[in-house]
Amino acid sequence: MTTISRRIVLLGAAATACVPARRSVPNSLVVGLTYDIDTLNVYSTGFLGDVEAAVVEGLLAPDENARYVPVLATEVPTVENGGIVLTPEGGMTITYKLRPGVRWHDGAPFSAADVAFTWRAVGNPAFIAESKDGTEDIVAIDTPDALTVVCHYRKVVPGFATTLFTFGILPRHLLEGVDLNTAPYNDRPVGTGPFRVTDFRRGQYVTTERNPYYWRRDAAGRQLPYLDSLIFKIIPNSNSLLMQIRSGELDLVVATPYDQAKQMGTLDGVELVRSPVLQWQHLDFNFRNPALQDRAVRLAIAHAVDRAALVRALGGFPQAITSVVVPIFPFHDPATPTPGHDPARARAILDAADWRVGSDGVRAKDGRRLDFRFIVQSGKGDDELAQQVIIAQLQAIGILARADNRAGVAYRQARYKGDFDLIYSAWVTGADPIYSRFFGSGGANNSLKYANPALDRVLATMEGSLDAETRRAAAFEMQRILAHDLPTIPLTTNVAVVTKRRALTGFTPNPTNMTPFVGAAFWRLDA
């Protein structure tokens, strides 16, 4: 979640009627999205870019094993193949050789000029992007010819593939001189991907059609994609998803709510596909609230939350974790010190910090009550269920957490503007996560007002070296600092439960924030 700023009305019965009939386009696949969409600009959206991954392409992309593979570039740059060259000044240059013959959705040729333009456009201070990660590290880009891009970096950036040019390239011929904040592109993006957008109705649906200029062919030489259309229906409500899978209105849900998964798996012609996902669920504290600036309160909450109860409540699908670095990564430290579930210890900590239980059962000190606004995204059954479990666990130690849930864009705005006290949510990362986004002072996704200069220095080391051991040592130190400071409590890592028609073949899960739609060109519906 994907993860990077993402607007709208929930899908209701009236809206459902507006969605194009699922067979109005032959050979079409209908997808249920469990979140709203604010914009189709991949650099502006605060949600996962499922639609965008089928429409726009980057130079590289992570595959189903979270390994980067070439897309619009012909190979992944490395030190070994000469694509990465370290400079005496402590920086590096990265050279991309581009794929010839690629065309934009409107037929215009794709070239190195588009890559250089993307860097300038996303990095433009006037453009309001969810994240500009990667732009500030590049000091210059040379384009010696139409198929060569040379990026000059001010420092070594081992995670270069997780940023900028992987998410997508912007069309210079359409966007140069245009205000990217208000451009029609944001509703009708033009890319080089296998599908092009034909209609976007906020809060309702996105329709696409096959890109007639698509460059990729299968092993037999047939031009991809196989499908003629992808239709994305916006259905944040878990029960509505189940009903529409059952009625045959949907073919695919890539983020099946756990509370509906077992029922969906029993339907005729439907199968569940489980796959790992680079995601962790977490409970975060807003440091704007003076009570939450008290580490004793955060530590007590950490002791109060029972991960095992959360896993049980969510059908046994998630895995309990104790670190923000999920176990699949080599930088995960299994010895990260973590407060265990111990309500008695939690109460003792609050007593010692002079947070006393009042007549209403809620603790207070100096006129300030431990009474917190707690938000999750409305309509996400799994998150709402987990929220209720956590509320009960906090009540047991004298803390009142009141559900203040938001839907769609309202949730996104609350999340990124810090309009909450407690928030339970998830981050989905790329194959080489950039943790300074979440925990660095001023990080793009750090809405907690948490800052620790010592952590900033550790993150700079971790994200500024190509040496695996140096990065691993810094990662372990990062986990130790976060376990002490407790700006967040990592709770579970999830599996993606995909619900799909058995007739859909060629589908491959993707564990990263690029989502499975990065492989949509290869999907087909068998008769």
Side-chain angles (χ1 to χ4, degrees):
M1 300 258 305
T2 102
T3 79
I4 129 170
S5 242
R6 306 177 189 232
R7 283 174 240 232
I8 315 205
V9 222
L10 286 177
L11 182 66
T16 304
C18 299
V19 179
R22 75 175 305 274
R23 295 304 174 203
S24 60
V25 177
N27 196 29
S28 62
L29 184 82
V30 185
V31 180
L33 297 182
T34 58
Y35 57 89
D36 217 333
I37 297 176
D38 47 2
T39 173
L40 293 179
N41 185 330
V42 71
Y43 289 105
S44 302
T45 185
F47 297 102
L48 281 175
D50 291 306
V51 177
E52 293 91 327
V55 172
V56 301
E57 293 177 314
L59 303 186
L60 313 172
D63 65 9
E64 65 273 17
N65 298 309
R67 292 194 295 258
Y68 284 97
V69 296
V71 182
L72 296 179
T74 58
E75 65 179 355
V76 178
T78 65
V79 172
E80 291 74 20
N81 65 23
I84 298 177
V85 176
L86 303 181
T87 66
E89 298 77 23
M92 67 181 187
T93 63
I94 296 181
T95 299
Y96 295 96
K97 290 294 185 179
L98 305 183
R99 197 174 298 280
V102 176
R103 299 164 73 181
W104 293 97
H105 289 158
D106 60 2
F110 162 77
S111 76
D114 296 303
V115 180
F117 170 76
T118 300
W119 168 61
R120 296 194 304 272
V122 176
N124 184 343
F127 173 45
I128 303 171
E130 169 63 19
S131 173
K132 296 176 181 280
D133 285 345
T135 59
E136 70 281 359
D137 298 324
I138 299 174
V139 295
I141 290 182
D142 298 328
T143 54
D145 58 60
L147 296 177
T148 305
V149 179
V150 183
C151 303
H152 301 274
Y153 284 75
R154 68 176 74 252
K155 63 180 182 178
V156 174
V157 182
F160 71 92
T162 68
T163 60
L164 197 57
F165 300 136
T166 293
F167 283 101
I169 306 300
L170 301 173
R172 175 189 174 192
H173 68 290
L174 295 176
L175 295 177
E176 191 161 42
V178 175
D179 182 353
L180 199 52
N181 295 307
T182 59
Y185 175 93
N186 297 332
D187 286 348
R188 191 72 64 88
V190 174
T192 60
F195 296 93
R196 58 187 183 185
V197 174
T198 56
D199 194 12
F200 172 26
R201 301 294 175 92
R202 283 186 160 76
Q204 299 179 42
Y205 62 84
V206 180
T207 60
T208 71
E209 66 181 6
R210 186 177 189 273
N211 173 14
Y213 303 111
Y214 194 49
W215 57 271
R216 200 191 298 258
R217 296 180 178 273
D218 66 12
R222 176 179 172 179
Q223 185 189 30
L224 299 175
Y226 296 118
L227 296 171
D228 292 320
S229 173
L230 290 176
I231 299 172
F232 298 86
K233 297 176 67 174
I234 298 169
I235 313 174
N237 184 277
S238 300
N239 292 325
S240 297
L241 281 171
L242 176 60
M243 287 189 294
Q244 293 193 38
I245 281 283
R246 177 177 283 134
S247 67
E249 296 172 72
L250 294 178
D251 299 310
L252 177 67
V253 178
V254 296
T256 307
Y258 292 153
D259 62 347
Q260 301 288 5
K262 291 181 179 178
Q263 293 183 70
M264 289 188 181
T266 63
L267 301 177
D268 290 340
V270 170
E271 63 179 340
L272 296 184
V273 178
R274 299 192 191 194
S275 68
V277 60
L278 305 184
Q279 177 190 66
W280 77 95
Q281 296 282 154
H282 47 94
L283 179 67
D284 290 350
F285 304 108
N286 192 334
F287 282 62
R288 296 173 183 83
N289 186 315
L292 291 172
Q293 293 174 13
D294 185 344
R295 182 178 179 275
V297 173
R298 303 194 304 276
L299 179 59
I301 291 175
H303 279 298
V305 176
D306 183 1
R307 292 171 176 82
L310 289 172
V311 171
R312 288 195 301 272
L314 297 174
F317 289 101
Q319 172 190 345
I321 57 172
T322 58
S323 168
V324 299
V325 181
V326 298
I328 194 173
F329 288 125
F331 296 159
H332 170 75
D333 181 5
T336 299
T338 303
H341 175 56
D342 189 343
R345 175 65 179 150
R347 288 187 285 268
I349 289 170
L350 293 173
D351 288 341
D354 207 29
W355 290 97
R356 300 301 178 184
V357 179
S359 59
D360 60 354
V362 178
R363 293 179 181 268
K365 180 171 70 173
D366 300 330
R368 188 181 304 280
R369 283 159 44 92
L370 297 185
D371 179 350
F372 302 125
R373 292 182 303 126
F374 183 9
I375 76 168
V376 302
Q377 185 174 347
S378 293
K380 292 192 71 171
D382 293 336
D383 287 7
E384 290 177 329
L385 179 56
Q387 180 188 45
Q388 291 304 311
V389 172
I390 294 170
I391 286 174
Q393 293 170 349
L394 297 188
Q395 184 179 18
I397 66 168
I399 294 177
L400 177 62
R402 295 175 289 108
D404 184 25
N405 300 342
R406 319 286 175 84
V409 168
Y411 169 77
R412 178 260 173 198
Q413 290 175 337
R415 177 173 182 168
Y416 285 94
K417 292 182 179 180
D419 184 18
F420 59 85
D421 296 319
L422 306 175
I423 184 169
Y424 172 86
S425 61
W427 292 123
V428 186
T429 73
D432 192 354
I434 299 176
Y435 293 98
S436 59
R437 285 178 177 167
F438 310 111
F439 307 115
S441 302
N445 298 123
N446 180 359
S447 61
L448 310 179
K449 287 295 182 181
Y450 164 69
N452 183 336
L455 179 62
D456 291 340
R457 291 190 291 272
V458 169
L459 290 169
T461 298
M462 181 179 176
E463 297 168 7
S465 173
L466 292 176
D467 181 74
E469 283 306 311
T470 298
R471 299 187 69 204
R472 184 173 182 271
F476 277 36
E477 179 65 8
M478 173 194 71
Q479 291 164 84
R480 187 197 64 77
I481 292 172
L482 290 174
H484 174 270
D485 289 358
L486 292 172
T488 183
I489 305 174
L491 297 171
T492 60
T493 185
N494 297 339
V495 295
V497 180
V498 177
T499 302
K500 73 175 191 67
R501 298 281 167 209
R502 294 187 185 277
L504 173 61
T505 60
F507 176 88
T508 304
N510 191 294
T512 76
N513 57 359
M514 290 299 291
T515 86
F517 291 89
V518 75
F522 297 94
W523 301 352
R524 68 167 86 210
L525 281 171
D526 295 333

